[in-house]
Amino acid sequence: MTDSKYFTTTKKGEIFELKSELNSEKKEKKREAVKKVIASMTVGKDVSALFPDVVNCMQTDNLELKKLVYLYLMNYAKSQPDMAIMAVNTFVKDCEDPNPLIRALAVRTMGCIRVDKITEYLCEPLRKCLKDEDPYVRKTAAVCVAKLHDINASLVEDQGFLDQLKELLSDSNPMVVANAVAALSEINEASSSGVPLVEMNTQTINKLLTALNECTEWGQVFILDSISNYSPKDEREAQSICERITPRLAHANAAVVLSAVKVLMKLMEMMAPDADFVVNLSKKLAPPLVTLLSSEPEVQYVALRNINLIVQKRPDILKNEMKVFFVKYNDPIYVKLEKLDIMIRLANQSNIAQVLSELKEYATEVDVDFVRKAVRAIGRCAIKVEPSAERCVSTLLDLIQTKVNYVVQEAIVVIKDIFRKYPNRYESIISTLCENLDTLDEPEARGSMIWIIGEYAERIDNADELLESFLEGFQDESTQVQLQLLTAIVKLFLKRPADTQELVQQVLTLATQDSDNPDLRDRGFIYWRLLSTDPAAAREVVLADKPLISEETDLLEPSLLDELVCHIASLASVYHKPPSAFVEGRGLGSSRRALPTRSGSQDILESSPSHGERSGVIPTQESLIGDLLTMDLGGPPVASSVPAAPFASSGLDLLSGGLDGLLSDSPSVPPQQAAATAAPSVGLLGDIFGLAPSASASYIAPKQMWLPAARGKGLEITGTFSRRNGQIQMEMTMTNRAMQPMIQFAVQLNKNSFGLVPAAPLHVVSPLAPNQSYEAVLLLNPTGPVQRMEPLTNLQVAIKNNIDVFYFAVVMPMNVFFAEDGQMDKRVFLSTWKDIPAANEVQYTINNVNLSADAVSSKMQQNNLNASVERRKEKNKNLSPKMVCVNLPGADPMRLRTLRIYRRYAGVDGSILRSKIRCHCNLSPWKNRT
């Protein structure tokens, strides 16, 4: 007879009988009584009154009976904590039992009893079990540490259990290693510090990879997840790890396969995309992913959601596997829709005919939602694969001819998008669309049809009649249709004003006087005032060229996609949301993950645009890349912000680019406008004699783009440098172009010619919300390590936030280094100047500047260029040439480098006058540092 008999009894007075049987001298009767107790507990009866009697049954050699008693204890210990203490001695005794199964059972049960009073007695038995000779006991004890940490984290740390757990990573038994990894992962996720408990290194990774081949599926998943958090030292190590993990792709368990895919996807980021190893690895990834689609529908769906991420990140992996994503007749709707989405992502010129044939077939299915998605998919293919657009339009027209209402309406919606993507190419089909006007009853389809009529009103003879037919039921239409109708009639009026004046008056009245919708009313008033005051402006606004729609409007944002790739084989990859979006609790900071960077040099070199684009951002020296990548970016946050406009840099000559506006007070001119209106560039002092009114402060160069949003994963940084109150300032505008908030900003500067380092941490408002900009000023001090750069004022910067670390290089304008205490005695200056080699003298000519010598001196002095020698000598109505000498850091910082500017201007008597001025600046803070 089976144990089901224990669940069928309904006798009264059962508790008393059970109590009697539990205290029986016969072992068989006692065991039967405990089974009855467990059965009653299972069906929901309260048998807590039997607690002391059940505890008395613990002291037995029968393993089955002991398991039953332990099960009872785990269920009732929390409600009877005082009585649970009675079992402690037995637990401690069982932890030293000769039978390893009993030892493991005892320590497991003690870990599951969440009673503080028992926890303190658990420490010593647990410590012994962690060093037990039997691997089964050790692996059970490893999991018990994680349970104990959840009850009392400080106790686990104080007792040194974490160190013992780390030692188990070197255990000879793979299951012990797997459980230790699982326990450490659990503890790490619950930790609020966010600091990894185990520092992953090559030695640890090798141990985990060795254990990977021999542990259970559950253990393999935990080990692979831990390996995914490791960043290899170089590409060679990454390849080695990939080779050892690749066999896991052939595993029968889907969780192991997806975990292996996650690790490989992360490691591939460290390798060149066109490397042979990456190409071969991509080929190996395809078959296991395809095999997952042969599983049951629920596993298929999870696999498809993960494949969706993989295809967005690396479409080449499955580019030849289109057929496996074709929908089967018996697939559940959630699988069908996911396959449809992946088909569109994989669609290209080579397979579009096959895809369109499938989609057209899907449009005849009986499932209305699926048919709608299929029709929209045809439109997405037309937008994505331009050469096939005509074929897609033809397919849509065929579907319209079926006269199936919902098919026709979806086709019109997607054709509107095709018109936006390819204007003036497929307007010949408008007449066909108009034939189906009366069948449209859905707001989106009606709005799309109205948009088409308004946009191409000049090509539709009866456009006014068509729009007027919509106007008859204006008040009954949805807001979406009303807004489209208002705009379409205004467009029609601007294109054919003679015969549509009454129609536009009617719609404006309906929108402004008879509607209570604020959006519709406001748009009506705007159109009314535009038309009544400035029809030309109305035409420019309403009939302006529309931006083309993008190919893929549903792609995940790059930074979010990178994070989700790191969470493949988890719920985040199924929801397509980061864990922080749906998990509440402790330790969420540790769940934030990012893909590794391919290489330091790649990041920095990519941050240097072409010479013609932004010469202010330059390539960096290979010898400095290591320094930049090993910087500690963990400092506290500090502020930043600024828009941009590039300097002009010319090689190694400091005075040939970047200070063109040194003495000008004029507002910054956009680079394009400046290029069109300015005279040919004369280098650093091109604007030094600008025509602006008097200047009261030193020149600040226009702001320039330092980090575009495309390279900053949504973070855009523009900035410039200034000198205020004797201190160099780095002014930045940080704009979040991403779709998620940004936090944890920090900045670090690489070694540079002047030893510049941040005087304070970077402070940025936290969080920096999407589309929010923040202005920040970072003070710089010349107290850091020095390394000569080429050009001398090149500065390499690293900015960190919660998404990634971003690198870029900028050329600082020279004038920010000029100190205020630069005055030099005339004799000292002349003596120093004589020692300057002739090769150090560079001459520039500045034309079309009308300033006196005194005005020039004044402008120079405002920028800390101090006049030391001024000589005026008239001879034949001419004065001697004017010269400005600037003390700049060269190979020998104690020597002067000279710049001469020759200038002529007309005197009051019409004769040509010349003047000679000698100026210098002080770079004393760096005199002994370069």
Side-chain angles (χ1 to χ4, degrees), residues 836-850:
I836 297 173
N840 284 16
E841 186 172 298
V842 183
Q843 299 183 3
Y844 297 94
T845 301
I846 299 179
N847 301 311
N848 303 321
V849 179
N850 297 315

Side-chain angles (χ1 to χ4, degrees), residues 357-641:
S357 175
E358 279 289 312
L359 293 177
K360 189 174 180 180
E361 188 70 26
Y362 300 160
T364 62
E365 291 273 352
V366 294
D367 191 315
V368 175
D369 289 336
F370 182 57
V371 170
R372 289 178 183 275
K373 292 284 186 182
V375 175
R376 295 215 175 196
I378 295 173
R380 286 174 62 186
C381 288
I383 292 169
K384 182 180 180 183
V385 188
E386 183 172 350
S388 70
E390 190 165 348
R391 181 181 293 180
C392 294
V393 171
S394 176
T395 303
L396 289 170
L397 287 176
D398 291 343
L399 292 175
I400 289 174
Q401 297 305 323
T402 64
K403 300 299 181 182
V404 179
N405 185 261
Y406 53 87
V407 173
V408 172
Q409 300 199 80
E410 286 298 328
I412 288 176
V413 171
V414 299
I415 285 174
K416 178 203 72 173
D417 291 336
I418 293 173
F419 281 170
R420 287 192 60 190
K421 178 68 175 177
Y422 309 111
N424 304 315
R425 278 177 58 175
Y426 302 109
E427 285 71 24
S428 59
I429 69 172
I430 292 177
S431 58
T432 306
L433 302 181
C434 291
E435 292 172 4
N436 298 277
L437 205 59
D438 296 335
T439 65
L440 305 181
D441 54 14
E442 296 175 6
E444 190 174 8
R446 291 172 69 83
S448 298
M449 192 68 229
I450 291 170
W451 182 89
I452 292 172
I453 295 171
E455 190 69 16
Y456 300 100
E458 70 278 9
R459 305 187 188 188
I460 305 173
D461 295 334
N462 63 335
D464 54 339
E465 297 175 8
L466 296 175
L467 292 177
E468 191 172 7
S469 67
F470 283 104
L471 199 60
E472 291 172 0
F474 185 82
Q475 300 293 355
D476 299 327
E477 300 283 5
S478 67
T479 302
Q480 177 183 0
V481 176
Q482 290 177 337
L483 290 168
Q484 284 287 11
L485 189 55
L486 172 61
T487 302
I489 291 177
V490 172
K491 287 179 183 177
L492 176 63
F493 172 73
L494 292 171
K495 293 175 180 179
R496 292 158 50 182
D499 52 353
T500 55
Q501 190 166 353
E502 185 178 338
L503 187 61
V504 77
Q505 182 71 37
Q506 185 182 354
V507 75
L508 288 174
T509 302
L510 288 170
T512 57
Q513 297 179 16
D514 300 342
S515 173
D516 56 359
N517 185 292
D519 293 335
L520 181 63
R521 194 167 57 244
D522 289 350
R523 187 182 292 192
F525 278 125
I526 290 172
Y527 284 155
W528 199 322
R529 284 170 186 160
L530 272 174
L531 293 171
S532 59
T533 57
D534 193 349
R539 180 177 293 275
E540 290 181 11
V541 171
V542 180
L543 301 181
D545 292 336
K546 281 54 170 195
L548 301 181
I549 61 176
S550 61
E551 294 180 3
E552 294 280 2
T553 55
D554 60 340
L555 287 177
L556 292 171
E557 181 192 14
S559 58
L560 176 59
L561 177 61
D562 288 351
E563 183 178 358
L564 292 178
V565 168
C566 299
H567 287 288
I568 283 176
S570 71
L571 273 179
S573 65
V574 178
Y575 291 155
H576 286 189
K577 293 179 180 180
S580 57
F582 60 87
V583 176
E584 295 180 359
R586 301 171 295 167
L588 287 183
S590 62
S591 66
R592 179 91 197 172
R593 301 181 186 177
L595 290 178
T597 52
R598 184 162 297 125
S599 71
S601 59
Q602 186 71 16
D603 280 340
I604 296 181
L605 292 177
E606 284 179 359
S607 73
S608 328
S610 61
H611 179 69
E613 260 186 316
R614 287 187 302 276
S615 52
V617 181
I618 63 170
T620 61
Q621 297 163 281
E622 289 293 326
S623 61
L624 301 177
I625 290 166
D627 292 336
L628 191 58
L629 295 180
T630 55
M631 294 184 302
D632 179 14
L633 294 170
V638 178
S640 78
S641 122

